[in-house]
Amino acid sequence: SIAGAIGASLLYGGQPARASEINSETKFALDYFGVALPPPIEESLKCSPDANVCLVDHQQRSQLNPAITESRICGIIDHHALQSQTIVTNRPIVIDIRPWGSMSTIVAHHFMMIGRKPPKPIAGILLCAILSDTLNLAGPTTTEHDRAMVAVLTQISEVDEIQELVQQQFRAKSKELAGLSAHQLVVGDLKEFVMDDAGSSAGSSKIGFAVVETTDDSVILDRHDELLDEINEVREEMGLDALFLAVVNIVLLKSTLLLAGPVERSLAEVAFGGSTYEDGFLMDLGARVSRKKEFVPPLTEAFAKGWTKPMSPAGGRASVGVRRQSTLTVDPNDPYGRVSRVLQDLA
């Protein structure tokens, strides 16, 4: 998202901004190619209160930064499916949504179509973004367009050993995970989806789907107990009907799904049909690795086929009859700035 925002702003004369904090992989790419980190969107809009905004890499209300009102939106560049929470505007806007592996592929293609060559640093971060989104062109969302833009951007950015760049980038992604708390792992890459649900009194269900991508999934899965507890806490705080966390091994291209409660377990069994273990709290998703193409669509299809929430609460991890107060804290002496949860039983 950051790379695409920077590239699009250069191409169309805007100012890039970030909607959230960046992860270690994005920081690696920016540092490697010497590109400055864009300011937060809140800061940008404060400096330019009348500015319009072009969304990149998303178009769902549930994923929209609160600082951005729909009346400001003048364009969308994205590669995700249109769903029930797609933004609505009161005027025509420019939309470029393509079924390609990365939004940065679309931005790079824009450069090529108008005969402009992006500067070397911009080409470099666009390259890193495509390699990340497509899992080094090995993921299921990869298209010929992604492969073509990777070839072009590799030349422009003067990357001699692309596999070495990929290894450094993926190591940067995984290195940060060891220092993250359970809360940071659950919310770090969490997207919310609103799905039509005929069985709900509200007519829809709010589903959260978080992803942790790593070169060593065993390090994350060894912490499944604390992650499952944190999923329960975050689900309640966000008012979600279900919250999934997929741990994706980006080297072996396989995933494991954490199922914190009976709702998640029931929905996952219908959507994915995978085998569960660890008393039903983990599900082997096999070679599925893409939230956009392989995780969310089966969930949407399960709702469309009439899946309903189980009546019995049995099978969850929440303590019955125990009221707890939950507080997120940051240890000032922690060099990683980890956000941890403190639970206290209430009488």
Side-chain angles (χ1 to χ4, degrees):
S1 299
I2 294 292
I6 294 172
S9 68
L10 176 64
L11 191 60
Y12 297 113
Q15 294 294 325
R18 67 180 192 270
S20 60
E21 293 305 314
I22 63 171
N23 59 30
S24 58
E25 185 181 24
T26 301
K27 184 178 185 305
F28 164 82
L30 294 176
D31 291 346
Y32 190 93
F33 288 101
V35 178
L37 175 67
I41 183 63
E42 296 87 349
E43 183 180 310
S44 296
L45 292 178
K46 185 176 181 180
C47 295
S48 303
D50 297 325
N52 289 324
V53 176
C54 177
L55 303 181
V56 295
D57 213 26
H58 70 292
Q59 28 70 14
Q60 295 288 298
R61 285 195 186 106
S62 57
Q63 298 165 15
L64 194 63
N65 184 289
I68 303 173
T69 58
E70 291 185 32
S71 61
R72 287 184 180 272
I73 298 172
C74 64
I76 296 171
I77 305 174
D78 193 19
H79 67 131
H80 295 98
L82 299 174
Q83 297 179 320
S84 61
Q85 286 292 297
T86 297
I87 63 160
V88 176
T89 64
N90 57 10
R91 56 175 175 162
I93 65 173
V94 176
I95 297 178
D96 191 344
I97 299 178
R98 310 189 193 197
W100 296 357
S102 175
M103 175 271 301
S104 289
T105 302
I106 302 173
V107 173
H109 185 263
H110 285 186
F111 273 100
M112 305 307 149
M113 290 301 293
I114 64 172
R116 281 187 64 183
K117 184 170 75 171
K120 175 182 172 180
I122 306 305
I125 62 173
L126 289 172
L127 172 63
C128 286
I130 299 171
L131 293 173
S132 176
D133 282 343
T134 63
L135 299 179
N136 193 19
L137 301 178
T141 63
T142 306
T143 68
E144 292 305 314
H145 303 284
D146 303 300
R147 295 187 176 92
M149 288 302 101
V150 163
V152 171
L153 294 171
T154 299
Q155 289 188 339
I156 297 173
S157 59
E158 299 178 5
V159 173
D160 295 325
E161 297 292 340
I162 191 169
Q163 292 308 315
E164 182 178 337
L165 174 64
V166 169
Q167 290 174 13
Q168 292 183 54
Q169 180 175 327
F170 285 1
R171 279 199 297 267
K173 176 187 295 210
S174 298
K175 182 179 179 181
E176 180 189 42
L177 300 179
L180 296 183
S181 66
H183 178 75
Q184 290 168 311
L185 289 171
V186 172
V187 303
D189 185 6
L190 191 163
K191 291 187 177 182
E192 182 181 327
F193 303 89
V194 178
M195 301 188 178
D196 293 335
D197 183 0
S200 168
S201 58
S204 62
S205 287
K206 293 170 62 178
I207 308 298
F209 207 106
V211 174
V212 173
E213 295 182 337
T214 177
T215 57
D216 186 358
D217 55 339
S218 64
V219 174
I220 305 301
L221 294 175
D222 285 346
R223 301 172 60 185
H224 69 269
D225 281 332
E226 60 174 316
L227 289 170
L228 289 165
D229 288 338
E230 184 61 29
I231 290 171
N232 279 324
E233 297 291 337
V234 172
R235 185 204 307 116
E236 182 175 350
E237 288 174 351
M238 295 183 64
L240 300 172
D241 294 288
L243 174 55
F244 298 95
L245 172 62
V247 179
V248 180
N249 187 310
I250 57 179
V251 176
L252 301 178
L253 298 180
K254 66 185 184 72
S255 300
T256 303
L257 191 64
L258 276 69
L259 309 171
V263 174
E264 286 86 357
R265 188 174 304 120
S266 171
L267 180 52
E269 287 172 349
V270 173
F272 305 115
S275 59
T276 61
Y277 57 104
E278 290 291 341
D279 296 325
F281 292 110
L282 300 182
M283 174 178 282
D284 181 5
L285 290 181
R288 298 182 182 95
V289 293
S290 169
R291 174 168 48 197
K292 181 183 77 170
K293 188 170 183 177
E294 297 173 311
F295 296 158
V296 173
L299 295 174
T300 304
E301 185 177 354
F303 278 100
K305 290 183 176 179
W307 173 85
T308 56
K309 191 178 298 186
M311 299 298 293
S312 171
R317 292 174 59 86
S319 299
V320 178
V322 178
R323 296 174 58 242
R324 298 186 298 181
Q325 178 177 326
S326 171
T327 305
L328 293 174
T329 63
V330 178
D331 184 350
N333 298 316
D334 185 347
Y336 296 102
R338 279 175 286 225
V339 179
S340 300
R341 187 179 298 279
V342 176
L343 298 174
Q344 181 178 5
D345 291 346
L346 300 177

